Amino acid sequence: MPERQVQPGAPTSPRTKIVHFIRHGHSTLNGATDDLLAREGATPEQIGDLFSGKMRVDLQQKFIDLVADPVHVDSELTDKGKAEAAALRAELARSGVVDRVEVVLVSPNRRTLQTAAIALKDTCTRICNTSVARGHPIEGHIHTMVATDLWREFGGVLMVGNHRSPASHLTAGYPSVDFSRIAEVDPMREREAPRSPEIGARAWNALMLLVGRDEREMIVVTHGGVLGIGVFEHDRVEWVGPPLTVHDIHNCAVLSVEMTHTVGQRTVWLRALGPTAQPSKL
């Protein structure tokens, strides 16, 4: 099934959504990156310099070699990442987000799926109960999350750490996730690079996917690069007030925004709503 987009002839009044972006928890690829930075005397903030072209050349090559190592294909959460997701679950419940969110969109990488399964268990239970209360028929499992490749991390032939598993390998482990909108084989293995035209186009389509949905408040479980570079710095995104940047994005961080778009216009307006929920210090 193709991703739903805003269709020509749709109402032209502004559509405003509340979107809670969540970055996945600490992954095995993050752990390997932490080790590399420690050996090189570098800081986590310098990873963002890779995408701006400011990272020193030798460190850049070592990082590229790291993410190209097949051992990191579709990396999973570490024990630290699972603890971060569990702490986030409690914070989301206290913040009230659990009671308001109408849909969860998730990148179909294992680290994002695992984060969503742990941190959003209460949210998905409420969505399921609401669906039953509205009389929706139950055929097997109710899908409370929707997988979409639009919110994946950068792909490309060298970024094997960001490649995903075949869809058929994921469905059994995540029965509450609707995988019908993604292809069996990862479509991003052979293309895309940070700041490439493909990333900009995909980020825009990802935003239009949110705009085109009926729900007003939603959660998107995604990745730091595509969020910080692809969306927050997109040339068709305008910020009302101080912008969020790649340096605001940490493992299991919740970055909440008010998003406004008028069909036919080439701009999405974002306003940061502050940290709706942050995981406790671990």
Side-chain angles (χ1 to χ4, degrees), residues 99-139:
D99 300 320
R100 301 193 308 269
V101 166
E102 300 167 81
V103 68
V104 174
L105 303 178
V106 58
S107 157
N109 279 105
R110 291 189 185 276
R111 59 193 184 273
T112 38
L113 290 166
Q114 290 173 327
T115 300
I118 297 171
L120 303 180
K121 185 175 182 179
D122 300 325
T123 304
C124 292
T125 297
R126 188 194 57 75
I127 292 174
C128 179
N129 291 341
T130 300
S131 180
V132 172
R134 290 175 177 173
H136 294 179
I138 301 177
E139 297 179 2

mmCIF file of all heavy atoms in Angstrom, residues 99-139:
data_model
loop_
_atom_site.group_PDB
_atom_site.id
_atom_site.type_symbol
_atom_site.label_atom_id
_atom_site.label_comp_id
_atom_site.label_asym_id
_atom_site.label_seq_id
_atom_site.Cartn_x
_atom_site.Cartn_y
_atom_site.Cartn_z
ATOM 1 N N ASP A 99 -2.225 9.631 26.937
ATOM 2 C CA ASP A 99 -3.680 9.764 26.858
ATOM 3 C C ASP A 99 -4.146 10.540 25.642
ATOM 4 O O ASP A 99 -5.343 10.546 25.331
ATOM 5 C CB ASP A 99 -4.202 10.459 28.119
ATOM 6 C CG ASP A 99 -3.877 9.672 29.380
ATOM 7 O OD1 ASP A 99 -3.979 8.436 29.327
ATOM 8 O OD2 ASP A 99 -3.532 10.291 30.399
ATOM 9 N N ARG A 100 -3.222 11.194 24.927
ATOM 10 C CA ARG A 100 -3.652 12.076 23.833
ATOM 11 C C ARG A 100 -3.269 11.560 22.445
ATOM 12 O O ARG A 100 -3.959 11.873 21.473
ATOM 13 C CB ARG A 100 -3.041 13.473 24.016
ATOM 14 C CG ARG A 100 -3.400 14.153 25.323
ATOM 15 C CD ARG A 100 -3.019 15.621 25.273
ATOM 16 N NE ARG A 100 -1.643 15.837 24.884
ATOM 17 C CZ ARG A 100 -0.619 15.919 25.733
ATOM 18 N NH1 ARG A 100 -0.828 15.787 27.034
ATOM 19 N NH2 ARG A 100 0.613 16.130 25.299
ATOM 20 N N VAL A 101 -2.190 10.836 22.342
ATOM 21 C CA VAL A 101 -1.685 10.437 21.017
ATOM 22 C C VAL A 101 -2.664 9.485 20.336
ATOM 23 O O VAL A 101 -3.203 8.566 20.952
ATOM 24 C CB VAL A 101 -0.301 9.775 21.166
ATOM 25 C CG1 VAL A 101 0.097 9.048 19.897
ATOM 26 C CG2 VAL A 101 0.737 10.833 21.502
ATOM 27 N N GLU A 102 -2.882 9.719 19.042
ATOM 28 C CA GLU A 102 -3.856 8.936 18.283
ATOM 29 C C GLU A 102 -3.214 7.888 17.374
ATOM 30 O O GLU A 102 -3.877 6.936 16.957
ATOM 31 C CB GLU A 102 -4.710 9.877 17.441
ATOM 32 C CG GLU A 102 -5.480 10.899 18.255
ATOM 33 C CD GLU A 102 -6.043 12.000 17.384
ATOM 34 O OE1 GLU A 102 -7.104 11.769 16.762
ATOM 35 O OE2 GLU A 102 -5.421 13.084 17.300
ATOM 36 N N VAL A 103 -1.947 8.065 17.038
ATOM 37 C CA VAL A 103 -1.285 7.107 16.165
ATOM 38 C C VAL A 103 0.219 7.169 16.410
ATOM 39 O O VAL A 103 0.751 8.215 16.801
ATOM 40 C CB VAL A 103 -1.589 7.380 14.667
ATOM 41 C CG1 VAL A 103 -0.951 8.684 14.202
ATOM 42 C CG2 VAL A 103 -1.161 6.214 13.780
ATOM 43 N N VAL A 104 0.889 6.039 16.197
ATOM 44 C CA VAL A 104 2.347 5.967 16.308
ATOM 45 C C VAL A 104 2.900 5.526 14.956
ATOM 46 O O VAL A 104 2.503 4.493 14.414
ATOM 47 C CB VAL A 104 2.783 4.949 17.392
ATOM 48 C CG1 VAL A 104 4.308 4.788 17.383
ATOM 49 C CG2 VAL A 104 2.293 5.392 18.769
ATOM 50 N N LEU A 105 3.798 6.330 14.399
ATOM 51 C CA LEU A 105 4.526 5.968 13.191
ATOM 52 C C LEU A 105 5.945 5.609 13.596
ATOM 53 O O LEU A 105 6.542 6.285 14.440
ATOM 54 C CB LEU A 105 4.537 7.125 12.192
ATOM 55 C CG LEU A 105 3.172 7.659 11.754
ATOM 56 C CD1 LEU A 105 3.344 8.833 10.801
ATOM 57 C CD2 LEU A 105 2.341 6.575 11.108
ATOM 58 N N VAL A 106 6.493 4.555 12.997
ATOM 59 C CA VAL A 106 7.802 4.074 13.442
ATOM 60 C C VAL A 106 8.651 3.675 12.250
ATOM 61 O O VAL A 106 8.167 3.072 11.292
ATOM 62 C CB VAL A 106 7.638 2.896 14.437
ATOM 63 C CG1 VAL A 106 6.870 1.754 13.809
ATOM 64 C CG2 VAL A 106 8.979 2.419 14.966
ATOM 65 N N SER A 107 9.924 4.034 12.317
ATOM 66 C CA SER A 107 10.885 3.550 11.344
ATOM 67 C C SER A 107 11.040 2.041 11.525
ATOM 68 O O SER A 107 11.164 1.557 12.649
ATOM 69 C CB SER A 107 12.236 4.233 11.559
ATOM 70 O OG SER A 107 13.292 3.458 11.030
ATOM 71 N N PRO A 108 11.061 1.251 10.426
ATOM 72 C CA PRO A 108 11.149 -0.204 10.558
ATOM 73 C C PRO A 108 12.560 -0.749 10.716
ATOM 74 O O PRO A 108 12.874 -1.826 10.208
ATOM 75 C CB PRO A 108 10.499 -0.697 9.252
ATOM 76 C CG PRO A 108 10.810 0.368 8.267
ATOM 77 C CD PRO A 108 10.777 1.662 9.035
ATOM 78 N N ASN A 109 13.422 -0.002 11.403
ATOM 79 C CA ASN A 109 14.700 -0.551 11.827
ATOM 80 C C ASN A 109 14.516 -1.177 13.207
ATOM 81 O O ASN A 109 13.657 -0.747 13.984
ATOM 82 C CB ASN A 109 15.779 0.527 11.898
ATOM 83 C CG ASN A 109 16.376 0.831 10.539
ATOM 84 O OD1 ASN A 109 16.066 1.860 9.947
ATOM 85 N ND2 ASN A 109 17.222 -0.053 10.024
ATOM 86 N N ARG A 110 15.329 -2.173 13.520
ATOM 87 C CA ARG A 110 15.124 -2.892 14.780
ATOM 88 C C ARG A 110 15.272 -1.975 15.991
ATOM 89 O O ARG A 110 14.545 -2.120 16.975
ATOM 90 C CB ARG A 110 16.086 -4.073 14.874
ATOM 91 C CG ARG A 110 15.765 -5.189 13.873
ATOM 92 C CD ARG A 110 16.587 -6.439 14.139
ATOM 93 N NE ARG A 110 16.360 -7.454 13.117
ATOM 94 C CZ ARG A 110 15.362 -8.323 13.127
ATOM 95 N NH1 ARG A 110 14.485 -8.298 14.118
ATOM 96 N NH2 ARG A 110 15.232 -9.229 12.162
ATOM 97 N N ARG A 111 16.193 -1.040 15.968
ATOM 98 C CA ARG A 111 16.408 -0.194 17.143
ATOM 99 C C ARG A 111 15.215 0.733 17.406
ATOM 100 O O ARG A 111 14.906 1.035 18.559
ATOM 101 C CB ARG A 111 17.714 0.595 17.017
ATOM 102 C CG ARG A 111 17.838 1.515 15.805
ATOM 103 C CD ARG A 111 19.293 1.945 15.687
ATOM 104 N NE ARG A 111 19.575 2.904 14.638
ATOM 105 C CZ ARG A 111 19.847 2.589 13.384
ATOM 106 N NH1 ARG A 111 19.833 1.311 13.007
ATOM 107 N NH2 ARG A 111 20.134 3.531 12.494
ATOM 108 N N THR A 112 14.546 1.191 16.344
ATOM 109 C CA THR A 112 13.362 2.026 16.534
ATOM 110 C C THR A 112 12.158 1.175 16.927
ATOM 111 O O THR A 112 11.355 1.578 17.774
ATOM 112 C CB THR A 112 13.060 2.824 15.259
ATOM 113 O OG1 THR A 112 13.324 2.019 14.106
ATOM 114 C CG2 THR A 112 13.905 4.078 15.186
ATOM 115 N N LEU A 113 12.025 0.004 16.316
ATOM 116 C CA LEU A 113 10.930 -0.892 16.679
ATOM 117 C C LEU A 113 11.039 -1.330 18.139
ATOM 118 O O LEU A 113 10.033 -1.372 18.867
ATOM 119 C CB LEU A 113 10.939 -2.123 15.764
ATOM 120 C CG LEU A 113 10.539 -1.875 14.303
ATOM 121 C CD1 LEU A 113 10.913 -3.080 13.446
ATOM 122 C CD2 LEU A 113 9.053 -1.569 14.190
ATOM 123 N N GLN A 114 12.254 -1.648 18.580
ATOM 124 C CA GLN A 114 12.447 -2.048 19.974
ATOM 125 C C GLN A 114 12.141 -0.899 20.921
ATOM 126 O O GLN A 114 11.513 -1.097 21.973
ATOM 127 C CB GLN A 114 13.880 -2.543 20.173
ATOM 128 C CG GLN A 114 14.169 -3.876 19.501
ATOM 129 C CD GLN A 114 15.641 -4.252 19.582
ATOM 130 O OE1 GLN A 114 16.517 -3.391 19.556
ATOM 131 N NE2 GLN A 114 15.916 -5.546 19.682
ATOM 132 N N THR A 115 12.582 0.296 20.567
ATOM 133 C CA THR A 115 12.303 1.466 21.401
ATOM 134 C C THR A 115 10.805 1.690 21.529
ATOM 135 O O THR A 115 10.279 1.909 22.630
ATOM 136 C CB THR A 115 12.965 2.718 20.799
ATOM 137 O OG1 THR A 115 14.383 2.523 20.731
ATOM 138 C CG2 THR A 115 12.665 3.955 21.641
ATOM 139 N N ALA A 116 10.104 1.622 20.403
ATOM 140 C CA ALA A 116 8.651 1.829 20.424
ATOM 141 C C ALA A 116 7.940 0.751 21.231
ATOM 142 O O ALA A 116 7.012 1.038 21.997
ATOM 143 C CB ALA A 116 8.113 1.862 18.992
ATOM 144 N N ALA A 117 8.372 -0.499 21.079
ATOM 145 C CA ALA A 117 7.714 -1.601 21.781
ATOM 146 C C ALA A 117 7.827 -1.450 23.292
ATOM 147 O O ALA A 117 6.900 -1.805 24.033
ATOM 148 C CB ALA A 117 8.322 -2.932 21.334
ATOM 149 N N ILE A 118 8.948 -0.906 23.757
ATOM 150 C CA ILE A 118 9.152 -0.738 25.206
ATOM 151 C C ILE A 118 8.542 0.566 25.699
ATOM 152 O O ILE A 118 7.719 0.583 26.621
ATOM 153 C CB ILE A 118 10.656 -0.764 25.543
ATOM 154 C CG1 ILE A 118 11.266 -2.126 25.188
ATOM 155 C CG2 ILE A 118 10.871 -0.459 27.034
ATOM 156 C CD1 ILE A 118 12.784 -2.165 25.275
ATOM 157 N N ALA A 119 8.915 1.678 25.072
ATOM 158 C CA ALA A 119 8.522 2.997 25.578
ATOM 159 C C ALA A 119 7.051 3.304 25.358
ATOM 160 O O ALA A 119 6.449 4.054 26.138
ATOM 161 C CB ALA A 119 9.377 4.079 24.914
ATOM 162 N N LEU A 120 6.456 2.737 24.315
ATOM 163 C CA LEU A 120 5.085 3.109 23.945
ATOM 164 C C LEU A 120 4.078 2.005 24.233
ATOM 165 O O LEU A 120 2.983 2.000 23.667
ATOM 166 C CB LEU A 120 5.049 3.495 22.465
ATOM 167 C CG LEU A 120 6.008 4.622 22.067
ATOM 168 C CD1 LEU A 120 5.900 4.919 20.585
ATOM 169 C CD2 LEU A 120 5.752 5.878 22.895
ATOM 170 N N LYS A 121 4.430 1.079 25.091
ATOM 171 C CA LYS A 121 3.513 -0.012 25.399
ATOM 172 C C LYS A 121 2.181 0.502 25.926
ATOM 173 O O LYS A 121 1.103 0.043 25.521
ATOM 174 C CB LYS A 121 4.152 -0.964 26.417
ATOM 175 C CG LYS A 121 3.305 -2.192 26.704
ATOM 176 C CD LYS A 121 4.032 -3.166 27.623
ATOM 177 C CE LYS A 121 3.186 -4.413 27.872
ATOM 178 N NZ LYS A 121 3.887 -5.378 28.756
ATOM 179 N N ASP A 122 2.219 1.481 26.849
ATOM 180 C CA ASP A 122 0.976 2.024 27.409
ATOM 181 C C ASP A 122 0.187 2.776 26.347
ATOM 182 O O ASP A 122 -1.046 2.680 26.286
ATOM 183 C CB ASP A 122 1.285 2.949 28.587
ATOM 184 C CG ASP A 122 2.015 2.229 29.707
ATOM 185 O OD1 ASP A 122 1.735 1.041 29.928
ATOM 186 O OD2 ASP A 122 2.892 2.851 30.331
ATOM 187 N N THR A 123 0.894 3.538 25.517
ATOM 188 C CA THR A 123 0.232 4.297 24.454
ATOM 189 C C THR A 123 -0.498 3.352 23.502
ATOM 190 O O THR A 123 -1.654 3.587 23.135
ATOM 191 C CB THR A 123 1.270 5.126 23.668
ATOM 192 O OG1 THR A 123 1.981 5.970 24.573
ATOM 193 C CG2 THR A 123 0.598 5.967 22.597
ATOM 194 N N CYS A 124 0.186 2.284 23.098
ATOM 195 C CA CYS A 124 -0.406 1.343 22.147
ATOM 196 C C CYS A 124 -1.573 0.580 22.765
ATOM 197 O O CYS A 124 -2.555 0.279 22.074
ATOM 198 C CB CYS A 124 0.660 0.386 21.631
ATOM 199 S SG CYS A 124 1.881 1.208 20.577
ATOM 200 N N THR A 125 -1.492 0.284 24.059
ATOM 201 C CA THR A 125 -2.618 -0.363 24.744
ATOM 202 C C THR A 125 -3.840 0.532 24.713
ATOM 203 O O THR A 125 -4.965 0.076 24.446
ATOM 204 C CB THR A 125 -2.239 -0.702 26.196
ATOM 205 O OG1 THR A 125 -1.168 -1.641 26.193
ATOM 206 C CG2 THR A 125 -3.436 -1.286 26.943
ATOM 207 N N ARG A 126 -3.647 1.827 24.970
ATOM 208 C CA ARG A 126 -4.791 2.752 24.943
ATOM 209 C C ARG A 126 -5.362 2.881 23.542
ATOM 210 O O ARG A 126 -6.580 2.913 23.348
ATOM 211 C CB ARG A 126 -4.370 4.129 25.464
ATOM 212 C CG ARG A 126 -5.569 5.071 25.649
ATOM 213 C CD ARG A 126 -5.133 6.505 25.827
ATOM 214 N NE ARG A 126 -4.331 6.964 24.707
ATOM 215 C CZ ARG A 126 -4.828 7.280 23.508
ATOM 216 N NH1 ARG A 126 -6.106 7.143 23.264
ATOM 217 N NH2 ARG A 126 -4.036 7.716 22.559
ATOM 218 N N ILE A 127 -4.491 2.968 22.510
ATOM 219 C CA ILE A 127 -4.969 3.054 21.130
ATOM 220 C C ILE A 127 -5.777 1.812 20.777
ATOM 221 O O ILE A 127 -6.832 1.886 20.141
ATOM 222 C CB ILE A 127 -3.783 3.223 20.166
ATOM 223 C CG1 ILE A 127 -3.142 4.602 20.369
ATOM 224 C CG2 ILE A 127 -4.241 3.071 18.711
ATOM 225 C CD1 ILE A 127 -1.865 4.806 19.565
ATOM 226 N N CYS A 128 -5.296 0.643 21.206
ATOM 227 C CA CYS A 128 -5.999 -0.614 20.958
ATOM 228 C C CYS A 128 -7.366 -0.604 21.637
ATOM 229 O O CYS A 128 -8.385 -0.957 21.027
ATOM 230 C CB CYS A 128 -5.166 -1.785 21.455
ATOM 231 S SG CYS A 128 -5.949 -3.402 21.242
ATOM 232 N N ASN A 129 -7.412 -0.198 22.907
ATOM 233 C CA ASN A 129 -8.679 -0.174 23.645
ATOM 234 C C ASN A 129 -9.661 0.805 23.013
ATOM 235 O O ASN A 129 -10.873 0.547 22.963
ATOM 236 C CB ASN A 129 -8.427 0.200 25.105
ATOM 237 C CG ASN A 129 -7.683 -0.886 25.862
ATOM 238 O OD1 ASN A 129 -7.658 -2.040 25.442
ATOM 239 N ND2 ASN A 129 -7.054 -0.520 26.964
ATOM 240 N N THR A 130 -9.141 1.934 22.544
ATOM 241 C CA THR A 130 -10.001 2.919 21.887
ATOM 242 C C THR A 130 -10.588 2.344 20.609
ATOM 243 O O THR A 130 -11.763 2.549 20.289
ATOM 244 C CB THR A 130 -9.202 4.192 21.571
ATOM 245 O OG1 THR A 130 -8.706 4.753 22.791
ATOM 246 C CG2 THR A 130 -10.084 5.225 20.870
ATOM 247 N N SER A 131 -9.770 1.608 19.862
ATOM 248 C CA SER A 131 -10.246 0.995 18.621
ATOM 249 C C SER A 131 -11.365 -0.003 18.899
ATOM 250 O O SER A 131 -12.379 -0.033 18.198
ATOM 251 C CB SER A 131 -9.078 0.294 17.918
ATOM 252 O OG SER A 131 -9.499 -0.297 16.714
ATOM 253 N N VAL A 132 -11.192 -0.808 19.936
ATOM 254 C CA VAL A 132 -12.218 -1.781 20.300
ATOM 255 C C VAL A 132 -13.494 -1.070 20.750
ATOM 256 O O VAL A 132 -14.617 -1.445 20.373
ATOM 257 C CB VAL A 132 -11.699 -2.716 21.401
ATOM 258 C CG1 VAL A 132 -12.836 -3.607 21.928
ATOM 259 C CG2 VAL A 132 -10.550 -3.566 20.882
ATOM 260 N N ALA A 133 -13.335 -0.015 21.544
ATOM 261 C CA ALA A 133 -14.493 0.722 22.048
ATOM 262 C C ALA A 133 -15.303 1.357 20.918
ATOM 263 O O ALA A 133 -16.522 1.515 21.031
ATOM 264 C CB ALA A 133 -14.030 1.798 23.034
ATOM 265 N N ARG A 134 -14.627 1.694 19.827
ATOM 266 C CA ARG A 134 -15.325 2.296 18.682
ATOM 267 C C ARG A 134 -15.950 1.242 17.773
ATOM 268 O O ARG A 134 -16.523 1.581 16.731
ATOM 269 C CB ARG A 134 -14.341 3.151 17.877
ATOM 270 C CG ARG A 134 -13.916 4.427 18.615
ATOM 271 C CD ARG A 134 -12.848 5.175 17.846
ATOM 272 N NE ARG A 134 -12.504 6.414 18.538
ATOM 273 C CZ ARG A 134 -11.493 7.218 18.171
ATOM 274 N NH1 ARG A 134 -10.740 6.886 17.122
ATOM 275 N NH2 ARG A 134 -11.244 8.318 18.836
ATOM 276 N N GLY A 135 -15.818 -0.023 18.173
ATOM 277 C CA GLY A 135 -16.460 -1.080 17.418
ATOM 278 C C GLY A 135 -15.715 -1.552 16.198
ATOM 279 O O GLY A 135 -16.290 -2.209 15.327
ATOM 280 N N HIS A 136 -14.426 -1.239 16.107
ATOM 281 C CA HIS A 136 -13.640 -1.710 14.981
ATOM 282 C C HIS A 136 -13.463 -3.220 15.086
ATOM 283 O O HIS A 136 -13.134 -3.737 16.156
ATOM 284 C CB HIS A 136 -12.276 -1.028 14.946
ATOM 285 C CG HIS A 136 -12.373 0.437 14.665
ATOM 286 N ND1 HIS A 136 -11.281 1.261 14.598
ATOM 287 C CD2 HIS A 136 -13.445 1.243 14.428
ATOM 288 C CE1 HIS A 136 -11.658 2.502 14.337
ATOM 289 N NE2 HIS A 136 -12.965 2.504 14.236
ATOM 290 N N PRO A 137 -13.664 -3.959 14.010
ATOM 291 C CA PRO A 137 -13.534 -5.419 14.080
ATOM 292 C C PRO A 137 -12.110 -5.851 14.378
ATOM 293 O O PRO A 137 -11.157 -5.206 13.954
ATOM 294 C CB PRO A 137 -13.959 -5.874 12.672
ATOM 295 C CG PRO A 137 -13.696 -4.693 11.788
ATOM 296 C CD PRO A 137 -13.975 -3.495 12.655
ATOM 297 N N ILE A 138 -11.969 -6.927 15.116
ATOM 298 C CA ILE A 138 -10.656 -7.464 15.454
ATOM 299 C C ILE A 138 -10.394 -8.697 14.598
ATOM 300 O O ILE A 138 -11.123 -9.678 14.676
ATOM 301 C CB ILE A 138 -10.562 -7.833 16.945
ATOM 302 C CG1 ILE A 138 -10.822 -6.594 17.816
ATOM 303 C CG2 ILE A 138 -9.215 -8.438 17.268
ATOM 304 C CD1 ILE A 138 -10.828 -6.895 19.295
ATOM 305 N N GLU A 139 -9.379 -8.617 13.781
ATOM 306 C CA GLU A 139 -8.965 -9.760 12.975
ATOM 307 C C GLU A 139 -7.506 -10.030 13.300
ATOM 308 O O GLU A 139 -6.613 -9.382 12.780
ATOM 309 C CB GLU A 139 -9.145 -9.475 11.489
ATOM 310 C CG GLU A 139 -10.605 -9.229 11.093
ATOM 311 C CD GLU A 139 -10.750 -8.921 9.621
ATOM 312 O OE1 GLU A 139 -9.728 -8.945 8.909
ATOM 313 O OE2 GLU A 139 -11.888 -8.653 9.192
#
